[in-house]
Coordinates of all heavy atoms in Angstrom, one line a residue:
L547 N -74.0 57.3 -78.0 CA -74.2 57.5 -76.5 C -75.5 57.0 -76.0 O -75.6 56.6 -74.8 CB -74.1 59.1 -76.3 CG -72.8 59.7 -76.5 CD1 -72.9 61.2 -76.3 CD2 -71.7 59.2 -75.5
S548 N -76.5 56.9 -76.9 CA -77.9 56.5 -76.4 C -78.3 55.2 -76.9 O -79.1 54.5 -76.2 CB -78.9 57.6 -76.8 OG -79.1 57.6 -78.2
G549 N -77.9 54.8 -78.1 CA -78.4 53.6 -78.7 C -79.8 53.7 -79.1 O -80.5 52.6 -79.3
S550 N -80.4 54.9 -79.2 CA -81.8 55.0 -79.4 C -82.1 55.8 -80.7 O -81.6 56.9 -80.9 CB -82.5 55.7 -78.2 OG -83.8 56.1 -78.5
T551 N -83.0 55.3 -81.5 CA -83.4 56.1 -82.7 C -84.3 57.2 -82.3 O -84.4 58.2 -83.0 CB -84.2 55.2 -83.7 OG1 -85.3 54.6 -83.0 CG2 -83.3 54.1 -84.3
L552 N -84.9 57.1 -81.1 CA -85.8 58.2 -80.6 C -84.9 59.5 -80.3 O -85.3 60.6 -80.7 CB -86.5 57.8 -79.4 CG -87.6 58.8 -78.8 CD1 -88.7 59.0 -79.8 CD2 -88.2 58.2 -77.5
V553 N -83.7 59.2 -79.7 CA -82.8 60.3 -79.4 C -82.3 60.9 -80.7 O -82.2 62.2 -80.8 CB -81.7 59.8 -78.5 CG1 -80.6 60.9 -78.3 CG2 -82.2 59.5 -77.1
T554 N -81.8 60.1 -81.6 CA -81.2 60.6 -82.9 C -82.3 61.4 -83.7 O -82.0 62.4 -84.3 CB -80.6 59.5 -83.7 OG1 -81.6 58.5 -84.0 CG2 -79.5 58.9 -83.0
G555 N -83.6 60.9 -83.6 CA -84.6 61.6 -84.3 C -84.9 62.9 -83.7 O -85.1 63.9 -84.5
A556 N -84.9 63.0 -82.4 CA -85.2 64.3 -81.7 C -84.1 65.3 -82.0 O -84.3 66.5 -82.3 CB -85.3 64.1 -80.2
L557 N -82.8 64.8 -82.0 CA -81.7 65.7 -82.3 C -81.7 66.2 -83.7 O -81.5 67.4 -84.0 CB -80.4 65.0 -82.0 CG -79.1 65.9 -82.1 CD1 -79.1 67.0 -81.1 CD2 -77.8 65.0 -82.0
N558 N -82.0 65.3 -84.6 CA -82.0 65.6 -86.1 C -83.2 66.6 -86.4 O -83.0 67.4 -87.2 CB -82.2 64.3 -86.9 CG -81.9 64.6 -88.4 OD1 -80.9 65.2 -88.7 ND2 -82.8 64.2 -89.2
S559 N -84.3 66.4 -85.6 CA -85.4 67.4 -85.8 C -85.0 68.8 -85.5 O -85.4 69.8 -86.1 CB -86.6 66.9 -85.0 OG -86.4 67.1 -83.6
I560 N -84.1 69.0 -84.5 CA -83.6 70.3 -84.1 C -82.7 70.8 -85.2 O -82.8 72.0 -85.6 CB -82.8 70.3 -82.8 CG1 -83.8 69.9 -81.6 CG2 -82.2 71.6 -82.5 CD1 -83.1 69.7 -80.3
L561 N -81.8 70.0 -85.8 CA -80.9 70.4 -86.8 C -81.7 70.8 -88.1 O -81.2 71.6 -88.9 CB -79.9 69.4 -87.1 CG -78.9 69.1 -86.0 CD1 -78.0 67.9 -86.3 CD2 -78.0 70.3 -85.7
L562 N -82.9 70.2 -88.3 CA -83.7 70.5 -89.4 C -84.7 71.6 -89.3 O -85.4 72.0 -90.2 CB -84.5 69.2 -89.8 CG -83.6 68.0 -90.3 CD1 -84.5 66.8 -90.5 CD2 -82.9 68.4 -91.6
L563 N -84.7 72.2 -88.1 CA -85.7 73.3 -87.8 C -85.6 74.5 -88.7 O -86.5 75.2 -88.9 CB -85.6 73.8 -86.4 CG -86.4 72.9 -85.4 CD1 -86.1 73.4 -84.0 CD2 -87.8 72.9 -85.7
P564 N -84.4 74.8 -89.3 CA -84.3 75.9 -90.3 C -85.4 75.8 -91.4 O -85.9 76.8 -91.9 CB -82.9 75.9 -90.8 CG -82.1 75.3 -89.7 CD -83.0 74.3 -89.1
W565 N -85.7 74.6 -91.8 CA -86.8 74.4 -92.8 C -88.1 74.9 -92.3 O -88.9 75.5 -93.1 CB -86.9 73.0 -93.2 CG -85.8 72.4 -93.9 CD1 -84.6 71.9 -93.4 CD2 -85.6 72.4 -95.4 NE1 -83.8 71.5 -94.5 CE2 -84.4 71.8 -95.7 CE3 -86.4 72.8 -96.4 CZ2 -83.9 71.7 -96.9 CZ3 -86.0 72.7 -97.7 CH2 -84.8 72.1 -98.0
L566 N -88.4 74.8 -91.0 CA -89.6 75.3 -90.4 C -89.6 76.8 -90.1 O -90.6 77.4 -90.3 CB -89.9 74.5 -89.1 CG -91.1 74.9 -88.3 CD1 -92.4 74.7 -89.0 CD2 -91.1 74.1 -87.0
L567 N -88.5 77.3 -89.7 CA -88.4 78.7 -89.2 C -88.0 79.7 -90.2 O -88.0 80.9 -90.0 CB -87.5 78.7 -88.0 CG -87.9 77.9 -86.8 CD1 -86.8 78.0 -85.7 CD2 -89.2 78.2 -86.2
Q568 N -87.6 79.2 -91.4 CA -87.0 80.2 -92.4 C -88.0 81.2 -92.9 O -87.7 82.2 -93.4 CB -86.4 79.5 -93.6 CG -87.3 78.6 -94.4 CD -86.6 77.9 -95.5 OE1 -86.3 78.5 -96.6 NE2 -86.2 76.7 -95.3
V569 N -89.3 80.9 -92.7 CA -90.3 81.9 -93.1 C -90.1 83.2 -92.3 O -90.4 84.3 -92.8 CB -91.8 81.4 -92.8 CG1 -92.0 81.2 -91.3 CG2 -92.8 82.4 -93.4
F570 N -89.6 83.1 -91.1 CA -89.3 84.3 -90.3 C -88.0 85.0 -90.7 O -87.8 86.1 -90.4 CB -89.3 83.9 -88.8 CG -90.5 83.3 -88.3 CD1 -90.6 81.9 -88.0 CD2 -91.7 84.0 -88.1 CE1 -91.7 81.3 -87.6 CE2 -92.9 83.4 -87.7 CZ -92.9 82.1 -87.4
A571 N -87.2 84.2 -91.4 CA -85.9 84.8 -91.9 C -86.1 85.6 -93.2 O -85.3 86.4 -93.6 CB -84.9 83.7 -92.1
G572 N -87.1 85.2 -94.0 CA -87.4 85.8 -95.3 C -87.4 87.3 -95.3 O -86.6 87.9 -96.1
P573 N -88.2 88.0 -94.5 CA -88.2 89.4 -94.4 C -86.8 90.0 -94.1 O -86.4 91.1 -94.6 CB -89.2 89.8 -93.4 CG -90.1 88.6 -93.4 CD -89.2 87.4 -93.6
L574 N -86.1 89.4 -93.2 CA -84.7 89.9 -92.8 C -83.8 89.8 -94.0 O -83.0 90.7 -94.3 CB -84.2 89.1 -91.7 CG -85.0 89.1 -90.4 CD1 -84.3 88.3 -89.3 CD2 -85.1 90.6 -89.9
I575 N -83.9 88.7 -94.8 CA -83.0 88.5 -96.0 C -83.3 89.6 -97.0 O -82.3 90.1 -97.6 CB -83.3 87.1 -96.6 CG1 -82.8 86.0 -95.7 CG2 -82.6 87.0 -98.0 CD1 -81.3 86.0 -95.4
D576 N -84.5 90.0 -97.2 CA -84.9 91.0 -98.2 C -84.5 92.4 -97.7 O -84.4 93.3 -98.6 CB -86.4 91.0 -98.4 CG -86.8 89.8 -99.3 OD1 -85.9 89.3 -100.1 OD2 -87.9 89.3 -99.2
R577 N -84.2 92.6 -96.4 CA -84.0 94.0 -96.0 C -82.6 94.2 -95.3 O -82.1 95.3 -95.4 CB -85.1 94.4 -95.0 CG -86.4 94.5 -95.7 CD -87.5 94.9 -94.7 NE -88.8 95.0 -95.4 CZ -89.2 96.2 -96.0 NH1 -88.4 97.2 -96.0 NH2 -90.4 96.2 -96.6

């Protein structure tokens, strides 16, 4: 749709955010 690596990079960074945010999921997983 865009023909841009900048757009695909931005979208992929959102899909990869669980790697960044999982520290907040850790306590929930344990409890």
